[in-house]
Amino acid sequence: MRTFVPHRPGDRVPADWGVRRAVRLAFPDSAALAGDPQHTERLRVYLADLLRPYGLGLEAGALERGGQSYGEMAEALIRLAVPEGESVDLLVLAYCVPDITPGRATTTMLSHVCPGGPMAFAVSDQGGAGAFTALRLIRAYAGSAGLPRALLLVVEQPALPYDPRVPVALPAAASGVALLFGEQRPGERPVRLGPVVTRARSSAASLAAECAALGGGPGPVTAVLGAALAAGTPAPAGVRHVRAADPGRPGTGVWWELAGELAEPPAEPCRLVLADHDTGALSLAVFDVGAEVRPDALAAARGRLR
């Protein structure tokens, strides 16, 4: 077995390293695999064996309700997020709810599907903090392990065919978000990744203090808050806009809103602060969006390089 980890703190990324593309997709239909009776029967046996020692069982008819496969969802996101002719060094999949293909090593499969054959792994069982953890790992690998071209995939699907006996926020539908990281190319608007933190045992009320500690940004600040956090938290001082994530997307909500913001960013530089609160932990990620790259400015820059 080979272990490959960052060998020092990973904030030493190039000055123009950040988000190059942001894609979001909804998956309203079940995966084709969910309609395969042989797969359904194998999944029934597998889950029943896992649940039996804990005194749990499958809900009647649960597997017939369908579900999604993160492998298929991720393939669709990769096709849209990775430009033709480019490759990726690192792929990280973040999710909270298991999918309907537990026998598949999904990230190993995605390493073969994604251009570049990237190193790939998953982050799970962290609730809303999972994608933030994945983001810190991506920056660490980019800064110290020579893997600057990275793809973050945040996915969720609603089919959980048993009662876990603990409070679980299930999504209303399947959805996914892809963020492509790397050095900005000519004509791309710079979106630099700032601090990414998770504070264990923090309360939602500490959001204002965390935002204040971040200091000023390049322009107006928009806070993108998880649904539970937005419901009980006043707008922090210095924040011009607050956008609340859809409560039907407990895992992808803030990332879904981020992709929407980056699709139509304001003309002026701005700061986007993502924040989510789950199981006693407060997670934040900062994205500083630079000035819009105008076609005339790009043409002038190209002329100076000739």
Side-chain angles (χ1 to χ4, degrees):
M1 179 179 293
R2 182 171 68 96
T3 302
F4 185 28
V5 297
H7 60 272
R8 63 176 180 269
D11 280 332
R12 301 178 185 178
V13 294
D16 55 353
W17 186 89
V19 180
R20 293 185 52 218
R21 282 194 176 187
V23 172
R24 63 184 189 182
L25 282 178
F27 297 85
D29 301 321
S30 292
L33 194 60
D36 182 340
Q38 291 185 337
H39 172 268
T40 299
E41 186 55 33
R42 289 196 300 267
L43 182 60
R44 189 189 315 278
V45 173
Y46 174 85
L47 292 175
D49 287 347
L50 287 182
L51 293 170
R52 190 175 298 110
Y54 301 96
L56 302 176
L58 291 173
E59 296 178 357
L63 295 182
E64 285 67 33
R65 293 198 294 266
Q68 265 295 347
S69 161
Y70 292 148
E72 279 67 24
M73 292 170 65
E75 285 190 73
L77 290 165
I78 290 170
R79 285 194 294 268
L80 293 176
V82 182
E84 185 176 355
E86 295 192 23
S87 60
V88 173
D89 301 310
L90 172 67
L91 183 151
V92 184
L93 179 73
Y95 65 93
C96 300
V97 182
D99 72 354
I100 63 168
T101 53
R104 169 192 281 171
T106 300
T107 53
T108 301
M109 183 273 289
L110 294 178
S111 178
H112 292 279
V113 170
C114 186
M119 182 177 81
F121 60 86
V123 176
S124 62
D125 296 324
Q126 293 194 6
F132 292 88
T133 298
L135 199 53
R136 288 199 303 274
L137 290 169
I138 283 174
R139 186 165 60 184
Y141 277 105
S144 67
L147 302 176
R149 299 167 301 181
L151 185 63
L152 171 62
L153 302 174
V154 187
V155 293
E156 63 184 345
Q157 65 94 28
L160 189 66
Y162 54 87
D163 180 0
R165 304 285 177 88
V166 295
V168 173
L170 289 176
S175 57
V177 177
L179 299 177
L180 178 69
F181 291 86
E183 294 187 51
Q184 305 294 323
R185 301 293 179 91
E188 294 179 344
R189 189 170 187 179
V191 183
R192 182 164 174 79
L193 176 63
V196 183
V197 297
T198 294
R199 307 297 189 195
R201 296 180 297 279
S202 292
S203 66
S206 63
L207 174 62
E210 294 289 350
C211 286
L214 294 173
V221 177
T222 294
V224 181
L225 308 181
L229 186 59
T233 307
V239 173
R240 178 181 292 187
H241 304 290
V242 175
R243 174 171 286 194
D246 184 346
R249 293 191 173 97
T252 63
V254 294
W255 309 98
W256 184 273
E257 297 301 328
L258 172 65
E261 288 282 346
L262 295 181
E264 298 182 8
E268 60 184 339
C270 64
R271 167 168 284 187
L272 303 175
V273 178
L274 269 65
D276 211 349
H277 187 257
D278 187 25
T279 61
L282 176 66
S283 299
L284 298 98
V286 175
F287 298 84
D288 287 330
V289 184
E292 184 174 6
V293 179
R294 304 188 310 276
D296 57 340
L298 176 57
R302 285 174 175 165
R304 290 193 298 271
L305 293 175
R306 289 176 181 156

